[in-house]
Amino acid sequence: MPRLDLLIVGSGVSGLSAAVRAASAHRLRVGVITKGELHQTTTRWAQGGVAAVLGGVDPDSTDLHLTDTLDAGADLCDVDAVRVLVDEGPERVTELIAMGAVFDRLEGGAYSLATEGGHSQPRILHAKGAATGAEIERALVVAVHDTAATLVEHAFVDGLIVETDADGNRSCGGITYSDEAGGRHRIEADNVLLAAGGAGQLYALTTNPHAATGDGIAMALAAGATLADVEFTQFHPTALAIDSMPRPLLSEALRGHGALLRNPDGERFVDELQPRDIVSRAVMHQMLTFGTDHAFLDARPIHDFAVRFPTIMASLAEVGLDPTTDLLPIAPAAHYTCGGILTDLDGASTLPGLWAAGEVACSGVHGANRLASNSLLEGMVFGPRAVDALAGGKRGPSPTGAMRTALGVADGEPAARVGGRAIDTPDLPRWGGGGDPADVRRGVQQAMTRGAGVLRTSESLAETMRALDELAGQVPGDDPSPAWIEVRNLVVLGRAATAAAASRTESRGAHTREDHPDRDESWLVRQLMTLRSS
């Protein structure tokens, strides 16, 4: 394959939005490579909608959307990044509709807008009630197939190619991957955009698919790129509490339409439309109080449930539950990786030639806790922004957005409200060998859930780190099989997240330290991690 202008790793909303922009608007030589098939990504699992102020919806405004996002992010969002999101988001949604995406409408033709946790106004677009991600992905897959993009499916990307010029400057020049038969390959590209999703599989209870093992974040760290905010994993408060991996998600939209949270005594215990971190903590405290592994979602107040939410209705029927008569057992489950590869407002990382967008990135949009239904919008906005920037000749990062916490600010520019603090990144563990990848993976997930989940303490985090180090001793460091690479990635990211959580001695957003229960304004900083050996 000839050297590409741009290679996109991942086929979710960020990657596919970028691919469409690269091929159609800039006519770049672009390729898309993905673990599975083009349509098998976390995006299609997204039940929540896409948040955008489309205009003409009084009294909503992009300023209100910005305020709601900042509030949910517990003061750790980058204001400039959020402004980009809310201002450019409506146009990206309009473009998606022009590609053929179909969103739910009322009888009169207006869009049916929902309210979700943390939103002050109804601004959430949905498709078929709770199939928004699948509809967005469907429209983008069709659009990508209509472009000249090179597609590589069923490929496991396991590393970035780092090139060094005569002056010692490092840059990203492509990727290495293995195919289904185990064959080894490389693709060279002037630019690589990581859109590989998050790391929900770090936890035993998650709404994320099996492939969400943080490969992109781990590859970037190994190549020398800086990570940020990795202590913030958002837990969705209403995952269906059944023996399933991933856990089926009971969409935020249910609570927006009147569903209530109840404890085993049948009592309400929280405002259901608070941000997810608040609701998740409330659910966990009820579970601990009653000694149960779940609380309940009461969806009986929702009128015409089967009409409004046919996808959820069908999934509940499969496990013998009827939301019109039954209380639905729920528990928090890992849902979204708020941190990741540090980027500027154009998606550039600290490694020239390496870009990131969507859940794999830390753009500063989400801060300490993502506002519901901002994730699909983030991918639709920042994937194309990266393409526009690199097509215009940009190569490395600029001191904008969250990147200011690493690079500082330009002369004459005001300082960012959120500062930056470089903290020690755990060295790569001492790998061993002799274990079974599935068993070690479960061990990592159980250790992270016990000690680095919704509720954390200094002692629990220390025990988690000890457990991860012990598990690393069962992992061969040089086995090239995808199963072992995924386990290594989970161990590396688990240790990074645990170290960052231990360092942040406060509670903020999705990070709750029971031994430091209050928010501490001296911690109004973004923690930065760079592997010392890179």
Side-chain angles (χ1 to χ4, degrees):
M1 182 183 301
R3 190 177 180 96
L4 299 170
D5 297 317
L6 170 64
L7 178 65
I8 298 167
V9 180
S11 60
V13 62
S14 304
L16 297 185
S17 296
V20 172
R21 178 64 66 92
S24 60
H26 300 291
R27 301 194 180 280
L28 299 177
R29 297 186 305 276
V30 59
V32 178
I33 187 167
T34 183
K35 263 186 181 182
E37 296 178 2
L38 204 59
H39 64 280
Q40 293 177 339
T41 68
T42 305
T43 292
R44 73 191 304 261
W45 293 71
Q47 290 184 355
V50 56
V53 180
L54 296 183
V57 184
D58 190 53
D60 202 6
S61 69
T62 54
D63 286 343
L64 286 175
H65 190 181
L66 181 142
T67 298
D68 292 344
T69 301
L70 298 180
D71 288 345
D75 293 333
L76 209 67
C77 300
D78 181 86
V79 177
D80 291 344
V82 179
R83 175 56 70 186
V84 166
L85 178 82
V86 301
D87 283 354
E88 297 185 10
E91 184 177 354
R92 300 289 87 79
V93 172
T94 301
E95 291 172 353
L96 187 67
I97 293 170
M99 292 179 199
V102 178
F103 294 104
D104 297 341
R105 294 179 183 265
L106 301 172
E107 287 185 7
Y111 285 111
S112 177
L113 301 177
T115 303
E116 295 183 358
H119 288 272
S120 60
Q121 300 292 331
R123 64 172 69 99
I124 317 300
L125 290 161
H126 284 270
K128 299 178 183 177
T132 312
E135 174 61 15
I136 288 175
E137 187 179 65
R138 182 200 63 77
L140 287 171
V141 167
V142 171
V144 168
H145 278 301
D146 289 340
T147 71
T150 298
L151 305 178
V152 183
E153 298 178 311
H154 301 291
F156 190 94
V157 179
D158 53 18
L160 299 172
I161 298 171
V162 178
E163 301 172 335
T164 306
D165 64 18
D167 297 323
N169 298 311
R170 303 168 75 251
S171 63
C172 183
I175 58 92
T176 58
Y177 76 95
S178 57
D179 59 27
E180 288 186 286
R184 302 285 300 133
H185 309 274
R186 59 188 278 141
I187 300 177
E188 296 183 355
D190 293 336
N191 298 277
V192 173
L193 172 63
L194 290 177
Q201 287 284 324
L202 269 173
Y203 295 89
L205 304 179
T206 180
T207 63
N208 287 191
H210 191 78
T213 50
D215 306 323
I217 303 173
M219 280 187 287
L221 180 65
T226 297
L227 308 185
D229 291 352
V230 293
E231 65 268 40
F232 298 111
T233 295
Q234 182 185 81
F235 285 75
H236 198 291
T238 55
L240 190 62
I242 61 173
D243 187 13
S244 173
M245 186 67 154
R247 284 281 175 98
L249 178 64
L250 296 183
S251 170
E252 197 109 20
L254 298 180
R255 283 174 277 141
H257 281 79
L260 306 173
L261 284 165
R262 300 188 183 279
N263 64 25
D265 282 345
E267 300 171 340
R268 288 182 66 192
F269 54 87
V270 68
D271 177 353
E272 288 83 3
L273 294 183
Q274 292 272 19
R276 288 173 176 171
D277 61 315
I278 296 174
V279 180
S280 289
R281 283 195 297 274
V283 173
M284 284 297 301
H285 283 301
Q286 292 296 315
M287 290 164 53
L288 291 171
T289 298
F290 283 89
T292 63
D293 62 359
H294 63 272
F296 293 100
L297 184 70
D298 182 0
R300 293 174 298 183
I302 298 177
H303 179 63
D304 291 336
F305 190 104
V307 175
R308 291 176 182 268
F309 302 102
T311 305
I312 298 178
M313 187 74 181
S315 65
L316 290 172
E318 290 179 0
V319 296
L321 290 171
D322 182 350
T324 66
T325 58
D326 298 328
L327 292 177
L328 308 176
I330 55 90
H335 186 59
Y336 195 86
T337 307
C338 294
I341 304 163
L342 182 67
T343 67
D344 66 10
L345 290 181
D346 293 320
S349 78
T350 56
L351 179 65
L354 180 65
W355 309 74
E359 193 174 358
V360 74
C362 177
S363 66
V365 159
H366 304 305
N369 180 51
R370 175 175 69 84
L371 180 65
S373 291
N374 268 356
S375 56
L376 292 173
L377 191 69
E378 181 193 21
M380 293 161 60
V381 168
F382 285 92
R385 276 185 71 90
V387 171
D388 291 345
L390 66 89
K394 182 172 180 175
R395 185 65 173 162
S398 58
T400 62
M403 186 60 72
R404 289 177 295 188
T405 58
L407 300 185
V409 298
D411 291 340
E413 292 290 328
R417 184 167 185 269
V418 178
R421 182 179 298 176
I423 63 172
D424 288 340
T425 307
D427 292 328
L428 292 177
R430 294 189 176 185
W431 305 114
D436 175 82
D439 289 342
V440 179
R441 180 170 173 145
R442 280 191 294 272
V444 171
Q445 293 167 337
Q446 291 164 0
M448 291 294 293
T449 298
R450 283 194 306 268
V454 177
L455 305 175
R456 304 163 174 180
T457 66
S458 175
E459 291 77 13
S460 76
L461 292 166
E463 177 55 36
T464 300
M465 188 67 81
R466 286 192 291 270
L468 293 175
D469 287 342
E470 182 178 334
L471 288 162
Q474 303 176 43
V475 180
D478 56 357
D479 191 309
S481 65
W484 276 123
I485 295 173
E486 286 184 332
V487 170
R488 288 197 292 271
N489 289 342
L490 289 173
V491 171
V492 168
L493 292 181
R495 295 170 82 249
T498 301
S503 173
R504 184 175 287 277
T505 51
E506 65 156 357
S507 291
R508 183 183 297 272
H511 169 70
T512 299
R513 287 283 299 266
E514 292 192 291
D515 49 350
H516 296 279
D518 299 323
R519 189 183 299 186
D520 181 349
E521 293 313 295
S522 70
W523 272 103
L524 198 61
V525 296
R526 206 175 305 288
Q527 296 194 104
L528 310 178
M529 307 185 84
T530 308
L531 198 62
R532 288 189 294 267
S533 59
S534 298

